[in-house]
Amino acid sequence: EIVMTQSPATLSVSPGERATLSCRASQSVSSNLAWYQQKPGQVPRLLIYGASTRATGIPARFSGSGSGTEFTLTISSLQSEDFAAYHCQHYSNWPHTFGQGTKLEIK
Amino acid sequence: QVQLVESGGGLVKPGGSLRLSCAASGFTFSDFYMSWVRQAPGKGLEWVARISGGGTTTNYVDSVQGRFTISRDDAKKSLSLQMNNLRVDDTAVYFCARGGARYGDSWGQGTLVTVSS
């Protein structure tokens, strides 16, 4: 099973600033990587797939990069609605596994 | 638009059984892998099981293999998860998700399963 590790666990950023979230895989997953946003009490929303392709309706301020074992989700200018938990997930093989999540909070 | 509505959650004793259901609408159900993903209270997400369109292929995470069974009825646009021999650590919100070959692009609101004596 591929282990996904996200860092940091909690990230404090001011509105309008850039946020950079990291996700590392225990072995190469190529570009088979997705990112999700989850607000408290809500369901996960797909943001990025294929490591860098934005899902339908996702604003351009969200961008994903990386391949192999190292991945980054960048939010270029934080809006109030962006403060949430973010999860990475690989789909290189079964089982698909998630990172433990990064909570993005207001500084 | 895509809609996924789960039902069947509740409180059950360790060793008990529960059957979750997911009613789908707004898309051609039979064309898609479907999955169950769970989230224990305050924890991350765990992909529990997936099933291919038509039901020919199923996969389970090791922790539920042999206890849970995923199934689907493409004519009724319905997904199910039969959970047997439930354990305390199965306590979670269970989400129905469209997808499973790769990622989940639509999710239901979830149904809470609590396993406790």
Side-chain angles (χ1 to χ4, degrees):
Chain A
E1 173 178 307
I2 297 174
V3 176
M4 306 300 292
T5 303
Q6 291 184 244
S7 61
T10 304
L11 181 62
S12 298
V13 183
S14 300
E17 292 189 342
R18 174 188 296 254
T20 303
L21 289 67
S22 296
C23 176
R24 173 177 292 177
S26 61
Q27 64 189 75
S28 177
V29 299
S30 186
S31 294
N32 299 310
L33 193 284
W35 289 93
Y36 302 83
Q37 177 193 66
Q38 187 179 25
K39 297 179 182 179
Q42 295 191 20
V43 303
R45 177 174 72 144
L46 179 67
L47 296 176
I48 300 283
Y49 60 90
S52 61
T53 302
R54 280 189 302 277
T56 303
I58 301 304
R61 65 181 182 272
F62 291 90
S63 63
S65 63
S67 67
T69 61
E70 301 284 343
F71 300 88
T72 300
L73 175 69
T74 302
I75 311 170
S76 59
S77 178
L78 281 164
Q79 307 296 303
S80 58
E81 62 267 29
D82 299 335
F83 292 94
Y86 291 84
H87 308 272
C88 64
Q89 173 240 323
H90 89 85
Y91 47 93
S92 178
N93 58 17
W94 182 261
H96 300 336
T97 52
F98 293 87
Q100 78 280 20
T102 290
K103 180 182 178 183
L104 182 57
E105 63 178 28
I106 300 174
K107 186 175 183 179
Chain B
Q1 73 280 21
V2 175
Q3 277 201 318
L4 300 167
V5 180
E6 302 94 335
S7 60
L11 174 63
V12 62
K13 288 181 168 53
S17 297
L18 213 53
R19 187 177 182 87
L20 306 182
S21 296
C22 172
S25 61
F27 64 102
T28 305
F29 184 74
S30 58
D31 284 351
F32 289 85
Y33 262 83
M34 295 295 295
S35 296
W36 290 97
V37 180
R38 68 184 178 184
Q39 187 170 35
K43 301 296 184 182
L45 298 162
E46 181 179 39
W47 211 298
V48 174
R50 67 176 182 177
I51 185 168
S52 61
T56 52
T57 300
T58 59
N59 298 101
Y60 302 89
V61 69
D62 283 350
S63 60
V64 309
Q65 182 78 47
R67 300 188 299 123
F68 289 12
T69 302
I70 189 172
S71 61
R72 64 191 294 160
D73 184 330
D74 286 350
K76 295 182 178 179
K77 297 186 177 183
S78 175
L79 177 73
S80 296
L81 185 68
Q82 176 67 41
M83 304 186 294
N84 297 330
N85 192 20
L86 281 159
R87 310 192 299 220
V88 171
D89 61 0
D90 293 320
T91 294
V93 174
Y94 284 73
F95 297 102
C96 167
R98 187 177 79 166
R102 298 184 293 171
Y103 43 81
D105 63 5
S106 295
W107 299 60
Q109 288 299 310
T111 187
L112 176 62
V113 172
T114 303
V115 184
S116 174
S117 54

PDB file of all heavy atoms in Angstrom, chain B residues 24-59:
ATOM      1  N   ALA B  24     -28.567   7.090  -6.945  1.00  0.00           N
ATOM      2  CA  ALA B  24     -27.885   8.000  -7.861  1.00  0.00           C
ATOM      3  C   ALA B  24     -28.848   8.544  -8.901  1.00  0.00           C
ATOM      4  O   ALA B  24     -29.804   7.875  -9.303  1.00  0.00           O
ATOM      5  CB  ALA B  24     -26.734   7.277  -8.555  1.00  0.00           C
ATOM      6  N   SER B  25     -28.585   9.764  -9.338  1.00  0.00           N
ATOM      7  CA  SER B  25     -29.362  10.367 -10.412  1.00  0.00           C
ATOM      8  C   SER B  25     -28.531  11.422 -11.105  1.00  0.00           C
ATOM      9  O   SER B  25     -27.515  11.883 -10.577  1.00  0.00           O
ATOM     10  CB  SER B  25     -30.659  10.979  -9.877  1.00  0.00           C
ATOM     11  OG  SER B  25     -30.381  11.999  -8.937  1.00  0.00           O
ATOM     12  N   GLY B  26     -28.961  11.787 -12.307  1.00  0.00           N
ATOM     13  CA  GLY B  26     -28.300  12.874 -13.022  1.00  0.00           C
ATOM     14  C   GLY B  26     -27.156  12.467 -13.918  1.00  0.00           C
ATOM     15  O   GLY B  26     -26.500  13.336 -14.508  1.00  0.00           O
ATOM     16  N   PHE B  27     -26.906  11.152 -14.049  1.00  0.00           N
ATOM     17  CA  PHE B  27     -25.853  10.687 -14.927  1.00  0.00           C
ATOM     18  C   PHE B  27     -26.119   9.236 -15.306  1.00  0.00           C
ATOM     19  O   PHE B  27     -26.987   8.577 -14.712  1.00  0.00           O
ATOM     20  CB  PHE B  27     -24.468  10.831 -14.284  1.00  0.00           C
ATOM     21  CG  PHE B  27     -24.257   9.992 -13.037  1.00  0.00           C
ATOM     22  CD1 PHE B  27     -23.526   8.816 -13.094  1.00  0.00           C
ATOM     23  CD2 PHE B  27     -24.778  10.378 -11.814  1.00  0.00           C
ATOM     24  CE1 PHE B  27     -23.311   8.052 -11.961  1.00  0.00           C
ATOM     25  CE2 PHE B  27     -24.583   9.621 -10.668  1.00  0.00           C
ATOM     26  CZ  PHE B  27     -23.847   8.457 -10.740  1.00  0.00           C
ATOM     27  N   THR B  28     -25.387   8.743 -16.298  1.00  0.00           N
ATOM     28  CA  THR B  28     -25.550   7.363 -16.749  1.00  0.00           C
ATOM     29  C   THR B  28     -24.807   6.451 -15.791  1.00  0.00           C
ATOM     30  O   THR B  28     -23.601   6.211 -15.928  1.00  0.00           O
ATOM     31  CB  THR B  28     -25.044   7.194 -18.192  1.00  0.00           C
ATOM     32  OG1 THR B  28     -25.706   8.128 -19.034  1.00  0.00           O
ATOM     33  CG2 THR B  28     -25.331   5.779 -18.691  1.00  0.00           C
ATOM     34  N   PHE B  29     -25.539   5.954 -14.807  1.00  0.00           N
ATOM     35  CA  PHE B  29     -24.955   5.235 -13.676  1.00  0.00           C
ATOM     36  C   PHE B  29     -24.069   4.073 -14.134  1.00  0.00           C
ATOM     37  O   PHE B  29     -22.976   3.885 -13.604  1.00  0.00           O
ATOM     38  CB  PHE B  29     -26.094   4.732 -12.781  1.00  0.00           C
ATOM     39  CG  PHE B  29     -25.667   4.053 -11.519  1.00  0.00           C
ATOM     40  CD1 PHE B  29     -25.170   4.791 -10.453  1.00  0.00           C
ATOM     41  CD2 PHE B  29     -25.800   2.674 -11.374  1.00  0.00           C
ATOM     42  CE1 PHE B  29     -24.801   4.166  -9.265  1.00  0.00           C
ATOM     43  CE2 PHE B  29     -25.437   2.051 -10.204  1.00  0.00           C
ATOM     44  CZ  PHE B  29     -24.928   2.795  -9.143  1.00  0.00           C
ATOM     45  N   SER B  30     -24.523   3.329 -15.096  1.00  0.00           N
ATOM     46  CA  SER B  30     -23.818   2.112 -15.493  1.00  0.00           C
ATOM     47  C   SER B  30     -22.459   2.394 -16.137  1.00  0.00           C
ATOM     48  O   SER B  30     -21.640   1.481 -16.251  1.00  0.00           O
ATOM     49  CB  SER B  30     -24.680   1.296 -16.463  1.00  0.00           C
ATOM     50  OG  SER B  30     -25.009   2.058 -17.606  1.00  0.00           O
ATOM     51  N   ASP B  31     -22.207   3.621 -16.512  1.00  0.00           N
ATOM     52  CA  ASP B  31     -20.942   3.967 -17.165  1.00  0.00           C
ATOM     53  C   ASP B  31     -19.801   4.183 -16.181  1.00  0.00           C
ATOM     54  O   ASP B  31     -18.649   4.313 -16.598  1.00  0.00           O
ATOM     55  CB  ASP B  31     -21.101   5.249 -18.006  1.00  0.00           C
ATOM     56  CG  ASP B  31     -21.839   5.011 -19.304  1.00  0.00           C
ATOM     57  OD1 ASP B  31     -22.096   3.849 -19.649  1.00  0.00           O
ATOM     58  OD2 ASP B  31     -22.171   6.023 -19.969  1.00  0.00           O
ATOM     59  N   PHE B  32     -20.125   4.266 -14.895  1.00  0.00           N
ATOM     60  CA  PHE B  32     -19.141   4.711 -13.920  1.00  0.00           C
ATOM     61  C   PHE B  32     -18.804   3.669 -12.868  1.00  0.00           C
ATOM     62  O   PHE B  32     -19.682   2.957 -12.380  1.00  0.00           O
ATOM     63  CB  PHE B  32     -19.646   5.961 -13.195  1.00  0.00           C
ATOM     64  CG  PHE B  32     -19.655   7.194 -14.049  1.00  0.00           C
ATOM     65  CD1 PHE B  32     -20.737   7.457 -14.873  1.00  0.00           C
ATOM     66  CD2 PHE B  32     -18.596   8.081 -14.029  1.00  0.00           C
ATOM     67  CE1 PHE B  32     -20.760   8.591 -15.668  1.00  0.00           C
ATOM     68  CE2 PHE B  32     -18.613   9.215 -14.811  1.00  0.00           C
ATOM     69  CZ  PHE B  32     -19.694   9.475 -15.642  1.00  0.00           C
ATOM     70  N   TYR B  33     -17.518   3.622 -12.504  1.00  0.00           N
ATOM     71  CA  TYR B  33     -17.152   3.008 -11.236  1.00  0.00           C
ATOM     72  C   TYR B  33     -17.884   3.775 -10.138  1.00  0.00           C
ATOM     73  O   TYR B  33     -18.086   4.978 -10.225  1.00  0.00           O
ATOM     74  CB  TYR B  33     -15.655   3.159 -10.988  1.00  0.00           C
ATOM     75  CG  TYR B  33     -14.800   1.963 -11.336  1.00  0.00           C
ATOM     76  CD1 TYR B  33     -14.376   1.735 -12.648  1.00  0.00           C
ATOM     77  CD2 TYR B  33     -14.365   1.087 -10.343  1.00  0.00           C
ATOM     78  CE1 TYR B  33     -13.571   0.654 -12.957  1.00  0.00           C
ATOM     79  CE2 TYR B  33     -13.550  -0.003 -10.639  1.00  0.00           C
ATOM     80  CZ  TYR B  33     -13.154  -0.208 -11.942  1.00  0.00           C
ATOM     81  OH  TYR B  33     -12.339  -1.272 -12.258  1.00  0.00           O
ATOM     82  N   MET B  34     -18.220   3.064  -9.067  1.00  0.00           N
ATOM     83  CA  MET B  34     -18.792   3.687  -7.878  1.00  0.00           C
ATOM     84  C   MET B  34     -18.040   3.180  -6.651  1.00  0.00           C
ATOM     85  O   MET B  34     -17.495   2.068  -6.661  1.00  0.00           O
ATOM     86  CB  MET B  34     -20.279   3.382  -7.741  1.00  0.00           C
ATOM     87  CG  MET B  34     -21.153   3.962  -8.854  1.00  0.00           C
ATOM     88  SD  MET B  34     -21.178   5.772  -8.870  1.00  0.00           S
ATOM     89  CE  MET B  34     -21.974   6.137  -7.312  1.00  0.00           C
ATOM     90  N   SER B  35     -18.028   3.993  -5.632  1.00  0.00           N
ATOM     91  CA  SER B  35     -17.198   3.672  -4.467  1.00  0.00           C
ATOM     92  C   SER B  35     -17.875   4.061  -3.162  1.00  0.00           C
ATOM     93  O   SER B  35     -18.804   4.876  -3.138  1.00  0.00           O
ATOM     94  CB  SER B  35     -15.870   4.433  -4.561  1.00  0.00           C
ATOM     95  OG  SER B  35     -15.106   4.041  -5.679  1.00  0.00           O
ATOM     96  N   TRP B  36     -17.339   3.482  -2.100  1.00  0.00           N
ATOM     97  CA  TRP B  36     -17.630   3.917  -0.744  1.00  0.00           C
ATOM     98  C   TRP B  36     -16.318   4.381  -0.113  1.00  0.00           C
ATOM     99  O   TRP B  36     -15.312   3.670  -0.164  1.00  0.00           O
ATOM    100  CB  TRP B  36     -18.236   2.795   0.084  1.00  0.00           C
ATOM    101  CG  TRP B  36     -19.617   2.426  -0.332  1.00  0.00           C
ATOM    102  CD1 TRP B  36     -19.994   1.405  -1.150  1.00  0.00           C
ATOM    103  CD2 TRP B  36     -20.829   3.092   0.058  1.00  0.00           C
ATOM    104  NE1 TRP B  36     -21.360   1.392  -1.306  1.00  0.00           N
ATOM    105  CE2 TRP B  36     -21.905   2.422  -0.573  1.00  0.00           C
ATOM    106  CE3 TRP B  36     -21.124   4.196   0.877  1.00  0.00           C
ATOM    107  CZ2 TRP B  36     -23.237   2.812  -0.408  1.00  0.00           C
ATOM    108  CZ3 TRP B  36     -22.448   4.579   1.038  1.00  0.00           C
ATOM    109  CH2 TRP B  36     -23.484   3.894   0.402  1.00  0.00           C
ATOM    110  N   VAL B  37     -16.370   5.565   0.451  1.00  0.00           N
ATOM    111  CA  VAL B  37     -15.227   6.171   1.131  1.00  0.00           C
ATOM    112  C   VAL B  37     -15.704   6.568   2.520  1.00  0.00           C
ATOM    113  O   VAL B  37     -16.799   7.100   2.666  1.00  0.00           O
ATOM    114  CB  VAL B  37     -14.700   7.405   0.376  1.00  0.00           C
ATOM    115  CG1 VAL B  37     -13.505   8.021   1.104  1.00  0.00           C
ATOM    116  CG2 VAL B  37     -14.325   7.040  -1.062  1.00  0.00           C
ATOM    117  N   ARG B  38     -14.900   6.313   3.537  1.00  0.00           N
ATOM    118  CA  ARG B  38     -15.330   6.642   4.887  1.00  0.00           C
ATOM    119  C   ARG B  38     -14.374   7.606   5.565  1.00  0.00           C
ATOM    120  O   ARG B  38     -13.222   7.758   5.171  1.00  0.00           O
ATOM    121  CB  ARG B  38     -15.485   5.375   5.736  1.00  0.00           C
ATOM    122  CG  ARG B  38     -14.194   4.649   6.057  1.00  0.00           C
ATOM    123  CD  ARG B  38     -14.519   3.356   6.811  1.00  0.00           C
ATOM    124  NE  ARG B  38     -13.309   2.586   7.105  1.00  0.00           N
ATOM    125  CZ  ARG B  38     -13.301   1.391   7.684  1.00  0.00           C
ATOM    126  NH1 ARG B  38     -14.451   0.802   8.026  1.00  0.00           N
ATOM    127  NH2 ARG B  38     -12.161   0.759   7.920  1.00  0.00           N
ATOM    128  N   GLN B  39     -14.913   8.239   6.600  1.00  0.00           N
ATOM    129  CA  GLN B  39     -14.139   9.203   7.375  1.00  0.00           C
ATOM    130  C   GLN B  39     -14.511   9.050   8.838  1.00  0.00           C
ATOM    131  O   GLN B  39     -15.627   9.394   9.238  1.00  0.00           O
ATOM    132  CB  GLN B  39     -14.408  10.627   6.887  1.00  0.00           C
ATOM    133  CG  GLN B  39     -13.524  11.682   7.516  1.00  0.00           C
ATOM    134  CD  GLN B  39     -13.659  13.025   6.830  1.00  0.00           C
ATOM    135  OE1 GLN B  39     -14.732  13.415   6.378  1.00  0.00           O
ATOM    136  NE2 GLN B  39     -12.551  13.751   6.733  1.00  0.00           N
ATOM    137  N   ALA B  40     -13.588   8.509   9.616  1.00  0.00           N
ATOM    138  CA  ALA B  40     -13.814   8.390  11.054  1.00  0.00           C
ATOM    139  C   ALA B  40     -13.825   9.785  11.672  1.00  0.00           C
ATOM    140  O   ALA B  40     -13.240  10.725  11.121  1.00  0.00           O
ATOM    141  CB  ALA B  40     -12.720   7.530  11.673  1.00  0.00           C
ATOM    142  N   PRO B  41     -14.498   9.943  12.802  1.00  0.00           N
ATOM    143  CA  PRO B  41     -14.615  11.266  13.431  1.00  0.00           C
ATOM    144  C   PRO B  41     -13.262  11.930  13.628  1.00  0.00           C
ATOM    145  O   PRO B  41     -12.367  11.358  14.247  1.00  0.00           O
ATOM    146  CB  PRO B  41     -15.278  10.950  14.775  1.00  0.00           C
ATOM    147  CG  PRO B  41     -16.040   9.700  14.535  1.00  0.00           C
ATOM    148  CD  PRO B  41     -15.232   8.898  13.565  1.00  0.00           C
ATOM    149  N   GLY B  42     -13.105  13.126  13.058  1.00  0.00           N
ATOM    150  CA  GLY B  42     -11.882  13.892  13.212  1.00  0.00           C
ATOM    151  C   GLY B  42     -10.683  13.341  12.478  1.00  0.00           C
ATOM    152  O   GLY B  42      -9.557  13.793  12.698  1.00  0.00           O
ATOM    153  N   LYS B  43     -10.918  12.371  11.593  1.00  0.00           N
ATOM    154  CA  LYS B  43      -9.811  11.716  10.898  1.00  0.00           C
ATOM    155  C   LYS B  43      -9.844  11.991   9.398  1.00  0.00           C
ATOM    156  O   LYS B  43     -10.705  12.725   8.902  1.00  0.00           O
ATOM    157  CB  LYS B  43      -9.877  10.196  11.134  1.00  0.00           C
ATOM    158  CG  LYS B  43      -9.814   9.794  12.600  1.00  0.00           C
ATOM    159  CD  LYS B  43      -8.500  10.165  13.242  1.00  0.00           C
ATOM    160  CE  LYS B  43      -8.435   9.650  14.671  1.00  0.00           C
ATOM    161  NZ  LYS B  43      -7.164  10.044  15.338  1.00  0.00           N
ATOM    162  N   GLY B  44      -8.911  11.390   8.695  1.00  0.00           N
ATOM    163  CA  GLY B  44      -8.835  11.543   7.253  1.00  0.00           C
ATOM    164  C   GLY B  44      -9.778  10.596   6.525  1.00  0.00           C
ATOM    165  O   GLY B  44     -10.588   9.892   7.117  1.00  0.00           O
ATOM    166  N   LEU B  45      -9.649  10.597   5.222  1.00  0.00           N
ATOM    167  CA  LEU B  45     -10.510   9.788   4.357  1.00  0.00           C
ATOM    168  C   LEU B  45      -9.884   8.428   4.084  1.00  0.00           C
ATOM    169  O   LEU B  45      -8.657   8.299   4.003  1.00  0.00           O
ATOM    170  CB  LEU B  45     -10.729  10.527   3.036  1.00  0.00           C
ATOM    171  CG  LEU B  45     -11.444  11.873   3.147  1.00  0.00           C
ATOM    172  CD1 LEU B  45     -11.222  12.703   1.897  1.00  0.00           C
ATOM    173  CD2 LEU B  45     -12.929  11.661   3.395  1.00  0.00           C
ATOM    174  N   GLU B  46     -10.728   7.423   3.935  1.00  0.00           N
ATOM    175  CA  GLU B  46     -10.259   6.070   3.612  1.00  0.00           C
ATOM    176  C   GLU B  46     -11.153   5.483   2.526  1.00  0.00           C
ATOM    177  O   GLU B  46     -12.377   5.391   2.707  1.00  0.00           O
ATOM    178  CB  GLU B  46     -10.272   5.167   4.843  1.00  0.00           C
ATOM    179  CG  GLU B  46      -9.773   3.751   4.547  1.00  0.00           C
ATOM    180  CD  GLU B  46      -9.753   2.856   5.764  1.00  0.00           C
ATOM    181  OE1 GLU B  46     -10.686   2.950   6.592  1.00  0.00           O
ATOM    182  OE2 GLU B  46      -8.815   2.047   5.907  1.00  0.00           O
ATOM    183  N   TRP B  47     -10.552   5.071   1.430  1.00  0.00           N
ATOM    184  CA  TRP B  47     -11.303   4.467   0.332  1.00  0.00           C
ATOM    185  C   TRP B  47     -11.588   3.016   0.703  1.00  0.00           C
ATOM    186  O   TRP B  47     -10.684   2.193   0.749  1.00  0.00           O
ATOM    187  CB  TRP B  47     -10.498   4.550  -0.959  1.00  0.00           C
ATOM    188  CG  TRP B  47     -11.354   4.670  -2.168  1.00  0.00           C
ATOM    189  CD1 TRP B  47     -12.270   3.752  -2.625  1.00  0.00           C
ATOM    190  CD2 TRP B  47     -11.399   5.774  -3.068  1.00  0.00           C
ATOM    191  NE1 TRP B  47     -12.875   4.232  -3.750  1.00  0.00           N
ATOM    192  CE2 TRP B  47     -12.369   5.461  -4.056  1.00  0.00           C
ATOM    193  CE3 TRP B  47     -10.719   6.983  -3.148  1.00  0.00           C
ATOM    194  CZ2 TRP B  47     -12.665   6.336  -5.098  1.00  0.00           C
ATOM    195  CZ3 TRP B  47     -11.012   7.843  -4.181  1.00  0.00           C
ATOM    196  CH2 TRP B  47     -11.975   7.516  -5.144  1.00  0.00           C
ATOM    197  N   VAL B  48     -12.818   2.680   0.914  1.00  0.00           N
ATOM    198  CA  VAL B  48     -13.199   1.376   1.465  1.00  0.00           C
ATOM    199  C   VAL B  48     -13.374   0.320   0.378  1.00  0.00           C
ATOM    200  O   VAL B  48     -12.873  -0.801   0.497  1.00  0.00           O
ATOM    201  CB  VAL B  48     -14.498   1.513   2.282  1.00  0.00           C
ATOM    202  CG1 VAL B  48     -15.001   0.152   2.741  1.00  0.00           C
ATOM    203  CG2 VAL B  48     -14.283   2.437   3.479  1.00  0.00           C
ATOM    204  N   ALA B  49     -14.121   0.662  -0.660  1.00  0.00           N
ATOM    205  CA  ALA B  49     -14.455  -0.325  -1.683  1.00  0.00           C
ATOM    206  C   ALA B  49     -14.854   0.383  -2.964  1.00  0.00           C
ATOM    207  O   ALA B  49     -15.324   1.521  -2.938  1.00  0.00           O
ATOM    208  CB  ALA B  49     -15.594  -1.237  -1.219  1.00  0.00           C
ATOM    209  N   ARG B  50     -14.703  -0.318  -4.060  1.00  0.00           N
ATOM    210  CA  ARG B  50     -15.126   0.204  -5.350  1.00  0.00           C
ATOM    211  C   ARG B  50     -15.687  -0.932  -6.192  1.00  0.00           C
ATOM    212  O   ARG B  50     -15.352  -2.095  -5.974  1.00  0.00           O
ATOM    213  CB  ARG B  50     -13.968   0.885  -6.086  1.00  0.00           C
ATOM    214  CG  ARG B  50     -12.861  -0.073  -6.510  1.00  0.00           C
ATOM    215  CD  ARG B  50     -11.778   0.621  -7.309  1.00  0.00           C
ATOM    216  NE  ARG B  50     -10.758  -0.335  -7.743  1.00  0.00           N
ATOM    217  CZ  ARG B  50      -9.722  -0.004  -8.507  1.00  0.00           C
ATOM    218  NH1 ARG B  50      -9.553   1.242  -8.925  1.00  0.00           N
ATOM    219  NH2 ARG B  50      -8.842  -0.929  -8.864  1.00  0.00           N
ATOM    220  N   ILE B  51     -16.515  -0.540  -7.171  1.00  0.00           N
ATOM    221  CA  ILE B  51     -17.119  -1.530  -8.059  1.00  0.00           C
ATOM    222  C   ILE B  51     -17.210  -0.932  -9.447  1.00  0.00           C
ATOM    223  O   ILE B  51     -17.566   0.237  -9.615  1.00  0.00           O
ATOM    224  CB  ILE B  51     -18.504  -1.973  -7.524  1.00  0.00           C
ATOM    225  CG1 ILE B  51     -19.098  -3.091  -8.371  1.00  0.00           C
ATOM    226  CG2 ILE B  51     -19.468  -0.785  -7.402  1.00  0.00           C
ATOM    227  CD1 ILE B  51     -20.311  -3.766  -7.719  1.00  0.00           C
ATOM    228  N   SER B  52     -16.889  -1.724 -10.436  1.00  0.00           N
ATOM    229  CA  SER B  52     -16.921  -1.247 -11.816  1.00  0.00           C
ATOM    230  C   SER B  52     -18.355  -1.157 -12.323  1.00  0.00           C
ATOM    231  O   SER B  52     -19.285  -1.766 -11.758  1.00  0.00           O
ATOM    232  CB  SER B  52     -16.116  -2.190 -12.709  1.00  0.00           C
ATOM    233  OG  SER B  52     -16.670  -3.492 -12.674  1.00  0.00           O
ATOM    234  N   GLY B  53     -18.525  -0.409 -13.393  1.00  0.00           N
ATOM    235  CA  GLY B  53     -19.821  -0.387 -14.050  1.00  0.00           C
ATOM    236  C   GLY B  53     -20.201  -1.796 -14.485  1.00  0.00           C
ATOM    237  O   GLY B  53     -19.366  -2.492 -15.051  1.00  0.00           O
ATOM    238  N   GLY B  54     -21.399  -2.229 -14.208  1.00  0.00           N
ATOM    239  CA  GLY B  54     -21.791  -3.605 -14.497  1.00  0.00           C
ATOM    240  C   GLY B  54     -21.474  -4.557 -13.372  1.00  0.00           C
ATOM    241  O   GLY B  54     -21.981  -5.683 -13.327  1.00  0.00           O
ATOM    242  N   GLY B  55     -20.595  -4.143 -12.456  1.00  0.00           N
ATOM    243  CA  GLY B  55     -20.325  -4.947 -11.273  1.00  0.00           C
ATOM    244  C   GLY B  55     -19.347  -6.075 -11.440  1.00  0.00           C
ATOM    245  O   GLY B  55     -19.224  -6.916 -10.552  1.00  0.00           O
ATOM    246  N   THR B  56     -18.618  -6.100 -12.552  1.00  0.00           N
ATOM    247  CA  THR B  56     -17.737  -7.245 -12.792  1.00  0.00           C
ATOM    248  C   THR B  56     -16.481  -7.234 -11.931  1.00  0.00           C
ATOM    249  O   THR B  56     -15.896  -8.282 -11.671  1.00  0.00           O
ATOM    250  CB  THR B  56     -17.320  -7.291 -14.272  1.00  0.00           C
ATOM    251  OG1 THR B  56     -16.786  -6.010 -14.644  1.00  0.00           O
ATOM    252  CG2 THR B  56     -18.501  -7.611 -15.160  1.00  0.00           C
ATOM    253  N   THR B  57     -16.074  -6.054 -11.483  1.00  0.00           N
ATOM    254  CA  THR B  57     -14.852  -5.930 -10.692  1.00  0.00           C
ATOM    255  C   THR B  57     -15.154  -5.225  -9.380  1.00  0.00           C
ATOM    256  O   THR B  57     -15.801  -4.173  -9.373  1.00  0.00           O
ATOM    257  CB  THR B  57     -13.779  -5.132 -11.451  1.00  0.00           C
ATOM    258  OG1 THR B  57     -13.462  -5.802 -12.677  1.00  0.00           O
ATOM    259  CG2 THR B  57     -12.515  -4.988 -10.615  1.00  0.00           C
ATOM    260  N   THR B  58     -14.699  -5.829  -8.290  1.00  0.00           N
ATOM    261  CA  THR B  58     -14.817  -5.195  -6.990  1.00  0.00           C
ATOM    262  C   THR B  58     -13.459  -5.246  -6.288  1.00  0.00           C
ATOM    263  O   THR B  58     -12.683  -6.182  -6.477  1.00  0.00           O
ATOM    264  CB  THR B  58     -15.866  -5.879  -6.095  1.00  0.00           C
ATOM    265  OG1 THR B  58     -15.501  -7.257  -5.924  1.00  0.00           O
ATOM    266  CG2 THR B  58     -17.252  -5.807  -6.710  1.00  0.00           C
ATOM    267  N   ASN B  59     -13.203  -4.221  -5.496  1.00  0.00           N
ATOM    268  CA  ASN B  59     -11.969  -4.167  -4.708  1.00  0.00           C
ATOM    269  C   ASN B  59     -12.286  -3.607  -3.337  1.00  0.00           C
ATOM    270  O   ASN B  59     -13.164  -2.746  -3.204  1.00  0.00           O
ATOM    271  CB  ASN B  59     -10.926  -3.274  -5.379  1.00  0.00           C
ATOM    272  CG  ASN B  59     -10.496  -3.771  -6.741  1.00  0.00           C
ATOM    273  OD1 ASN B  59     -10.947  -3.270  -7.757  1.00  0.00           O
ATOM    274  ND2 ASN B  59      -9.632  -4.769  -6.757  1.00  0.00           N
TER     275      ASN B  59
END
